Amino acid sequence: MAHRWGMVVDLDRCTGCEACVAACHAENNIATVGADQAARGRTMHWIHVERYWEGEFPNIRARFQPVLCQQCDAAPCEPVCPTYASYHNSEGLNAQVYNRCIGTRYCANACPYTVRYFNWFNPAWDKPLQLQLNPDVSVREVGVMEKCTFCNQRILAGEIKAKAANRELQDGEVKPACVQSCPPTAMVFGDLNDPNSQVSRMSRSVRATTLLAEVGTLPKVTYLERESSHGDE
Ligand code: SF4
């Protein structure tokens, strides 16, 4: 495959500000479900920030970990889908074909990262909020499973732009919304097939780890553990 997209999240830099969550909502036409639906476990966030506590009161600190689709190479969501709506595309991404999805939710049950979201209703944007919708991203309807795509629309736009200029896509040229919006640049996106890309170099750090590695899903999102636990890179 030409590209193999991946991401690195440096947990030492993440402040838990959730700018990535807001940017993802805006970029991907994600519905805001409201308090009632959220109380019923029907939240919609293609990326969410987990919060942990370290230490004992009063010497206690909050720690944060952004969690999005891990774009696994051995994705448990794919073989369980009866309609092949969840599949591996030619650039290593776990794609989701909305108009093939019949909403069985087998994929969400198979995913150990709880990053797949079921649409419980047809989202509506009251005027003039419909003007904020991104025309490059479809608005999903009730009964469909959805999740992070690494902002596939941005990847495609970058590839088309590079092809039109008869050149290769440059490292760092494509940035998913979460990566672009992160104030401390805790997130880095790029091509894992390029050994010299920033994401490849960072994923070889001594601090590199993957979420639930023991499950064997082979995620393409790498987390860099905090310096305090590993010393220098
Ligand atoms: S925007 Fe960056 S710093 Fe803020 S929560 Fe997301 S990853 Fe962490």
mmCIF file of all heavy atoms in Angstrom, residues 79-104:
data_model
loop_
_atom_site.group_PDB
_atom_site.id
_atom_site.type_symbol
_atom_site.label_atom_id
_atom_site.label_comp_id
_atom_site.label_asym_id
_atom_site.label_seq_id
_atom_site.Cartn_x
_atom_site.Cartn_y
_atom_site.Cartn_z
ATOM 1 N N PRO A 79 -14.270 -8.514 11.155
ATOM 2 C CA PRO A 79 -14.828 -9.841 10.817
ATOM 3 C C PRO A 79 -16.238 -10.078 11.362
ATOM 4 O O PRO A 79 -16.919 -10.990 10.886
ATOM 5 C CB PRO A 79 -13.819 -10.827 11.442
ATOM 6 C CG PRO A 79 -13.084 -10.049 12.453
ATOM 7 C CD PRO A 79 -13.083 -8.628 12.020
ATOM 8 N N VAL A 80 -16.682 -9.284 12.333
ATOM 9 C CA VAL A 80 -18.000 -9.531 12.925
ATOM 10 C C VAL A 80 -19.124 -8.820 12.180
ATOM 11 O O VAL A 80 -20.301 -9.061 12.451
ATOM 12 C CB VAL A 80 -18.043 -9.099 14.412
ATOM 13 C CG1 VAL A 80 -17.073 -9.919 15.242
ATOM 14 C CG2 VAL A 80 -17.745 -7.610 14.566
ATOM 15 N N CYS A 81 -18.790 -7.955 11.234
ATOM 16 C CA CYS A 81 -19.843 -7.196 10.542
ATOM 17 C C CYS A 81 -20.496 -8.055 9.462
ATOM 18 O O CYS A 81 -19.834 -8.488 8.517
ATOM 19 C CB CYS A 81 -19.257 -5.929 9.918
ATOM 20 S SG CYS A 81 -20.509 -5.005 9.002
ATOM 21 N N PRO A 82 -21.798 -8.314 9.562
ATOM 22 C CA PRO A 82 -22.464 -9.208 8.605
ATOM 23 C C PRO A 82 -22.613 -8.602 7.211
ATOM 24 O O PRO A 82 -22.898 -9.320 6.259
ATOM 25 C CB PRO A 82 -23.834 -9.455 9.246
ATOM 26 C CG PRO A 82 -24.060 -8.301 10.155
ATOM 27 C CD PRO A 82 -22.720 -7.854 10.627
ATOM 28 N N THR A 83 -22.446 -7.290 7.083
ATOM 29 C CA THR A 83 -22.646 -6.660 5.771
ATOM 30 C C THR A 83 -21.355 -6.065 5.214
ATOM 31 O O THR A 83 -21.395 -5.323 4.235
ATOM 32 C CB THR A 83 -23.699 -5.529 5.875
ATOM 33 O OG1 THR A 83 -23.212 -4.554 6.804
ATOM 34 C CG2 THR A 83 -25.048 -6.056 6.328
ATOM 35 N N TYR A 84 -20.218 -6.348 5.856
ATOM 36 C CA TYR A 84 -18.922 -5.802 5.420
ATOM 37 C C TYR A 84 -18.945 -4.270 5.385
ATOM 38 O O TYR A 84 -18.252 -3.652 4.583
ATOM 39 C CB TYR A 84 -18.515 -6.343 4.039
ATOM 40 C CG TYR A 84 -18.457 -7.846 3.986
ATOM 41 C CD1 TYR A 84 -19.463 -8.576 3.367
ATOM 42 C CD2 TYR A 84 -17.395 -8.532 4.571
ATOM 43 C CE1 TYR A 84 -19.416 -9.964 3.344
ATOM 44 C CE2 TYR A 84 -17.353 -9.917 4.553
ATOM 45 C CZ TYR A 84 -18.359 -10.615 3.932
ATOM 46 O OH TYR A 84 -18.323 -11.989 3.911
ATOM 47 N N ALA A 85 -19.750 -3.669 6.258
ATOM 48 C CA ALA A 85 -19.759 -2.213 6.346
ATOM 49 C C ALA A 85 -18.451 -1.729 6.972
ATOM 50 O O ALA A 85 -17.956 -0.658 6.669
ATOM 51 C CB ALA A 85 -20.949 -1.728 7.162
ATOM 52 N N SER A 86 -17.902 -2.541 7.877
ATOM 53 C CA SER A 86 -16.627 -2.224 8.517
ATOM 54 C C SER A 86 -15.544 -3.015 7.788
ATOM 55 O O SER A 86 -15.565 -4.246 7.793
ATOM 56 C CB SER A 86 -16.709 -2.627 9.994
ATOM 57 O OG SER A 86 -15.467 -2.437 10.609
ATOM 58 N N TYR A 87 -14.633 -2.339 7.141
ATOM 59 C CA TYR A 87 -13.625 -3.057 6.362
ATOM 60 C C TYR A 87 -12.307 -2.294 6.353
ATOM 61 O O TYR A 87 -12.246 -1.124 6.741
ATOM 62 C CB TYR A 87 -14.120 -3.304 4.924
ATOM 63 C CG TYR A 87 -13.982 -2.099 4.019
ATOM 64 C CD1 TYR A 87 -12.993 -2.056 3.027
ATOM 65 C CD2 TYR A 87 -14.800 -0.984 4.160
ATOM 66 C CE1 TYR A 87 -12.842 -0.947 2.209
ATOM 67 C CE2 TYR A 87 -14.646 0.121 3.348
ATOM 68 C CZ TYR A 87 -13.670 0.138 2.376
ATOM 69 O OH TYR A 87 -13.509 1.240 1.584
ATOM 70 N N HIS A 88 -11.247 -2.965 5.912
ATOM 71 C CA HIS A 88 -9.906 -2.386 5.873
ATOM 72 C C HIS A 88 -9.682 -1.786 4.494
ATOM 73 O O HIS A 88 -9.780 -2.497 3.496
ATOM 74 C CB HIS A 88 -8.889 -3.503 6.107
ATOM 75 C CG HIS A 88 -7.840 -3.151 7.094
ATOM 76 N ND1 HIS A 88 -8.126 -2.865 8.421
ATOM 77 C CD2 HIS A 88 -6.496 -3.032 6.980
ATOM 78 C CE1 HIS A 88 -7.009 -2.589 9.052
ATOM 79 N NE2 HIS A 88 -6.012 -2.683 8.211
ATOM 80 N N ASN A 89 -9.354 -0.504 4.411
ATOM 81 C CA ASN A 89 -9.159 0.066 3.077
ATOM 82 C C ASN A 89 -7.692 -0.055 2.631
ATOM 83 O O ASN A 89 -6.851 -0.583 3.360
ATOM 84 C CB ASN A 89 -9.703 1.503 2.994
ATOM 85 C CG ASN A 89 -8.786 2.539 3.589
ATOM 86 O OD1 ASN A 89 -7.648 2.254 3.958
ATOM 87 N ND2 ASN A 89 -9.269 3.767 3.682
ATOM 88 N N SER A 90 -7.410 0.418 1.430
ATOM 89 C CA SER A 90 -6.087 0.182 0.833
ATOM 90 C C SER A 90 -4.979 0.980 1.517
ATOM 91 O O SER A 90 -3.801 0.769 1.227
ATOM 92 C CB SER A 90 -6.131 0.538 -0.655
ATOM 93 O OG SER A 90 -6.472 1.909 -0.791
ATOM 94 N N GLU A 91 -5.328 1.896 2.425
ATOM 95 C CA GLU A 91 -4.309 2.660 3.140
ATOM 96 C C GLU A 91 -4.266 2.274 4.613
ATOM 97 O O GLU A 91 -3.788 3.032 5.453
ATOM 98 C CB GLU A 91 -4.565 4.158 2.958
ATOM 99 C CG GLU A 91 -4.491 4.545 1.472
ATOM 100 C CD GLU A 91 -4.251 6.014 1.241
ATOM 101 O OE1 GLU A 91 -4.717 6.816 2.065
ATOM 102 O OE2 GLU A 91 -3.611 6.347 0.224
ATOM 103 N N GLY A 92 -4.817 1.077 4.907
ATOM 104 C CA GLY A 92 -4.723 0.533 6.253
ATOM 105 C C GLY A 92 -5.717 1.081 7.244
ATOM 106 O O GLY A 92 -5.629 0.799 8.444
ATOM 107 N N LEU A 93 -6.675 1.872 6.775
ATOM 108 C CA LEU A 93 -7.661 2.442 7.697
ATOM 109 C C LEU A 93 -8.866 1.509 7.851
ATOM 110 O O LEU A 93 -9.231 0.801 6.913
ATOM 111 C CB LEU A 93 -8.153 3.800 7.185
ATOM 112 C CG LEU A 93 -7.096 4.893 7.059
ATOM 113 C CD1 LEU A 93 -7.738 6.159 6.518
ATOM 114 C CD2 LEU A 93 -6.455 5.170 8.401
ATOM 115 N N ASN A 94 -9.459 1.534 9.028
ATOM 116 C CA ASN A 94 -10.714 0.810 9.247
ATOM 117 C C ASN A 94 -11.828 1.714 8.741
ATOM 118 O O ASN A 94 -12.222 2.651 9.412
ATOM 119 C CB ASN A 94 -10.919 0.511 10.724
ATOM 120 C CG ASN A 94 -9.807 -0.343 11.276
ATOM 121 O OD1 ASN A 94 -9.046 0.109 12.109
ATOM 122 N ND2 ASN A 94 -9.678 -1.536 10.786
ATOM 123 N N ALA A 95 -12.310 1.426 7.556
ATOM 124 C CA ALA A 95 -13.353 2.256 6.962
ATOM 125 C C ALA A 95 -14.728 1.759 7.400
ATOM 126 O O ALA A 95 -14.890 0.601 7.796
ATOM 127 C CB ALA A 95 -13.240 2.217 5.444
ATOM 128 N N GLN A 96 -15.698 2.663 7.342
ATOM 129 C CA GLN A 96 -17.071 2.319 7.709
ATOM 130 C C GLN A 96 -17.975 2.811 6.587
ATOM 131 O O GLN A 96 -18.030 4.022 6.326
ATOM 132 C CB GLN A 96 -17.437 2.997 9.040
ATOM 133 C CG GLN A 96 -18.847 2.764 9.521
ATOM 134 C CD GLN A 96 -19.037 1.375 10.112
ATOM 135 O OE1 GLN A 96 -18.094 0.612 10.271
ATOM 136 N NE2 GLN A 96 -20.272 1.029 10.423
ATOM 137 N N VAL A 97 -18.646 1.874 5.908
ATOM 138 C CA VAL A 97 -19.531 2.255 4.809
ATOM 139 C C VAL A 97 -20.936 2.440 5.389
ATOM 140 O O VAL A 97 -21.628 1.475 5.706
ATOM 141 C CB VAL A 97 -19.543 1.180 3.705
ATOM 142 C CG1 VAL A 97 -20.406 1.625 2.536
ATOM 143 C CG2 VAL A 97 -18.130 0.883 3.245
ATOM 144 N N TYR A 98 -21.336 3.703 5.506
ATOM 145 C CA TYR A 98 -22.588 3.994 6.209
ATOM 146 C C TYR A 98 -23.805 3.375 5.523
ATOM 147 O O TYR A 98 -24.700 2.859 6.177
ATOM 148 C CB TYR A 98 -22.790 5.507 6.330
ATOM 149 C CG TYR A 98 -21.702 6.195 7.129
ATOM 150 C CD1 TYR A 98 -21.042 7.295 6.625
ATOM 151 C CD2 TYR A 98 -21.347 5.732 8.395
ATOM 152 C CE1 TYR A 98 -20.038 7.930 7.350
ATOM 153 C CE2 TYR A 98 -20.353 6.350 9.124
ATOM 154 C CZ TYR A 98 -19.699 7.446 8.602
ATOM 155 O OH TYR A 98 -18.712 8.054 9.325
ATOM 156 N N ASN A 99 -23.845 3.445 4.201
ATOM 157 C CA ASN A 99 -25.065 2.940 3.557
ATOM 158 C C ASN A 99 -25.082 1.418 3.417
ATOM 159 O O ASN A 99 -26.001 0.853 2.854
ATOM 160 C CB ASN A 99 -25.322 3.631 2.200
ATOM 161 C CG ASN A 99 -24.167 3.502 1.260
ATOM 162 O OD1 ASN A 99 -23.232 2.765 1.545
ATOM 163 N ND2 ASN A 99 -24.212 4.212 0.144
ATOM 164 N N ARG A 100 -24.070 0.750 3.982
ATOM 165 C CA ARG A 100 -24.110 -0.703 4.065
ATOM 166 C C ARG A 100 -24.473 -1.158 5.483
ATOM 167 O O ARG A 100 -24.858 -2.301 5.702
ATOM 168 C CB ARG A 100 -22.735 -1.258 3.701
ATOM 169 C CG ARG A 100 -22.751 -2.225 2.540
ATOM 170 C CD ARG A 100 -21.398 -2.886 2.452
ATOM 171 N NE ARG A 100 -20.650 -2.417 1.326
ATOM 172 C CZ ARG A 100 -19.331 -2.548 1.209
ATOM 173 N NH1 ARG A 100 -18.631 -3.111 2.168
ATOM 174 N NH2 ARG A 100 -18.714 -2.120 0.151
ATOM 175 N N CYS A 101 -24.300 -0.237 6.448
ATOM 176 C CA CYS A 101 -24.504 -0.584 7.864
ATOM 177 C C CYS A 101 -25.986 -0.784 8.164
ATOM 178 O O CYS A 101 -26.817 0.048 7.817
ATOM 179 C CB CYS A 101 -23.940 0.533 8.742
ATOM 180 S SG CYS A 101 -24.214 0.277 10.507
ATOM 181 N N ILE A 102 -26.295 -1.917 8.816
ATOM 182 C CA ILE A 102 -27.695 -2.181 9.200
ATOM 183 C C ILE A 102 -27.874 -2.074 10.715
ATOM 184 O O ILE A 102 -28.917 -2.437 11.249
ATOM 185 C CB ILE A 102 -28.179 -3.555 8.695
ATOM 186 C CG1 ILE A 102 -27.247 -4.664 9.195
ATOM 187 C CG2 ILE A 102 -28.275 -3.554 7.167
ATOM 188 C CD1 ILE A 102 -27.775 -6.065 8.919
ATOM 189 N N GLY A 103 -26.842 -1.614 11.405
ATOM 190 C CA GLY A 103 -26.992 -1.274 12.826
ATOM 191 C C GLY A 103 -27.071 -2.442 13.786
ATOM 192 O O GLY A 103 -27.677 -2.318 14.851
ATOM 193 N N THR A 104 -26.444 -3.579 13.456
ATOM 194 C CA THR A 104 -26.477 -4.698 14.413
ATOM 195 C C THR A 104 -25.646 -4.394 15.652
ATOM 196 O O THR A 104 -25.854 -5.002 16.698
ATOM 197 C CB THR A 104 -25.909 -5.983 13.779
ATOM 198 O OG1 THR A 104 -24.552 -5.736 13.408
ATOM 199 C CG2 THR A 104 -26.724 -6.413 12.578
#
